[in-house]
Amino acid sequence: MNFTPKEIVSLLDKYIIGQAKAKKAVAVALRNRYRRSKLSAEVREEITPKNIVMRGPTGVGKTEIARRLAKLVGAPFIKVEATKYTEVGYVGRDVESMVRDLVEVAVRMVKDQKKKEVEAKILPIVENKIVDALYQNRRVVSVDVNREKLLEDLKAGKCEDETVEVLVLETPKPVMALGGSEINLGSMFEGLTPPKHKKKKMTVKHAREALLQEESDKIIDMDNVNEEAITLAEEQGIIFIDEIDKIIGKSQATNSADVSREGVQRDILPIVEGSTVPTKYGNVKTDFILFIAAGAFQIAQMEDMIPELQGRFPIRVELESLTKEDFKKILKTPKNAVTVQYANLLKVDNINLVFTDDALDVIAEMAAAENETSEDLGARRLHTIMEALLEDVSFNATGEHPMLDVLIDANYVRTVFKDREVKYNLKKYVL
C-alpha cells in the first residue's frame, strides 16, 4: 500500500488511457489512507476518507479506475448499482447489503491468504488421499501398481484430468432470496449437526482444490479470520456505487415508479456518513470505508442530490469523452489492449493476427465518429467494431491448419466497413 500518488497514477496508466484528473483524485485518496495508518490511534479516529463522485459518459474508465485501484493495494472492493436498492418499505435490496457484501469479499480474501500460509502443511495429506483414489482406479486395470510412482506422477501434473472418487464434505444448500435478503439454509443449522461427507467423482485437479479447502478449514481459526476481515473492510474497504445519477429525481406523484429515489439517497446517507451495520461476522463500522460514486449525469445533475449526500462526496471529478487519439492508445498501449486480447484468442486456432498502425487509425476514427453520431459508449464501442471486423476471421479459423499470418491493414478495415463509412458521410448533411 506504500505507493506515492505519482506511482499510483503511473500504475493506473498501464491499464487506463487518459482521465488524468480522476487518477490524481483517487491516487491522493489512497495515499491519504496510508498517511492515516501511520498516525496515532487518537488522531486516526478523527480523520475520515474524502469520498469521490465521478461524472462522465459510459465506457470512459470510471469503474476500471476504482477496480484497478483496489487490486493495486489488495483492498476489499465491490461494485454496486444504485438502482438495485430501494427505500425501506419497498421490495428490493436494502442499502446495508452493500456493506455485508464488502465483508463477504474481505472474509474470502483473508481466508485465501490463510489457506496459502497453511498449504505447504496440508498438501501431503491431500496428495495421499488423491493417491489412494488413483490407486483404486489403477487396481481395477492392473494388479501391479506402485504408490510411489503414482505420487511422482501426481506431483509432476500427469494425472490432472483423470477422474477419481474422493470423500468430500457435503456442500450446504443453495442460497434462497427472501424479501431482498439472502438466507443460506445450510448455514442456519451449522454446528447443530455433524458435518456430512459423501463420495464424489471429479478430476484430480478439482479433487485437489476441494480437499485443500476442506483440510485448510480444519486448521484455520475462523474467529480470527472474521475479526481480521472486519478490520480489513473497515480500514481499507472500497465501495463503488455506480449509476448514482439514476436515483436522483424529485418525484411528486405517489404512483410514480421513481417514488423511492430520494428515499434511497436518504438511506445511503447514514452508510456514507458513518454507521454500524450488523453482519453475520460481527458489527462493521462504515466511518473509514472509501466510497466512490459515479454516473453519467446526463439528465440529473450532481447538484440535484440531496444536500446532505452532496456534502459527503466532497471530491468531484469530471471524466472526458474519449477522442480519436485516446481510442488509438486504447487499441495498442494497455497491457490488456483489445487488439492483444483478440490476437491471443485467435492464436489458439493457429491465426497470427497483426494490426498495422494505419488500421488502428481507421478503427479509432470510426469509434470516435460512431460515438459522435449515436450514443456515446466510450471504449465499449471498440468491442462492437472489433467483433464485426474479425467476424469472418474468427468464423473460418478452425485450428486444423498450420499457423497463418493475417494482416489487418487500413484497406481491410475500410472494405469490411464500407457501408458504415457511407452512413457517416450522409450524417454530416443531416441537420
Side-chain angles (χ1 to χ4, degrees), residues 168-229:
V168 294
L169 198 64
E170 198 169 358
T171 52
K173 298 294 180 186
V175 171
M176 179 182 74
L178 187 65
S181 60
E182 294 172 346
I183 300 172
N184 192 320
L185 297 178
S187 65
M188 285 174 69
F189 306 103
E190 195 175 350
L192 299 178
T193 56
K196 292 182 180 179
H197 287 76
K198 67 174 182 179
K199 284 190 173 181
K200 195 172 180 181
K201 287 187 177 181
M202 57 181 78
T203 62
V204 167
K205 182 180 178 182
H206 290 120
R208 186 187 291 107
E209 291 172 6
L211 291 171
L212 277 172
Q213 186 66 55
E214 185 179 329
E215 292 297 327
S216 64
D217 286 346
K218 293 177 184 176
I219 299 175
I220 295 170
D221 185 346
M222 283 308 296
D223 288 336
N224 286 342
V225 168
N226 295 345
E227 286 177 18
E228 284 186 37

Side-chain angles (χ1 to χ4, degrees), residues 123-124 127 150-160 208:
L123 190 58
E127 286 177 340
L150 281 177
L151 185 59
E152 284 178 19
D153 289 346
L154 178 67
K155 288 182 176 179
K158 295 179 181 177
C159 312
E160 294 298 283
R208 186 187 291 107

Side-chain angles (χ1 to χ4, degrees), residues 252-275:
Q252 309 299 332
T254 53
N255 62 348
S256 168
D258 301 331
V259 70
S260 70
R261 281 183 176 182
E262 192 169 315
V264 176
Q265 292 184 60
R266 296 199 179 279
D267 286 349
I268 289 176
L269 180 60
I271 304 291
V272 179
E273 273 184 328
S275 58

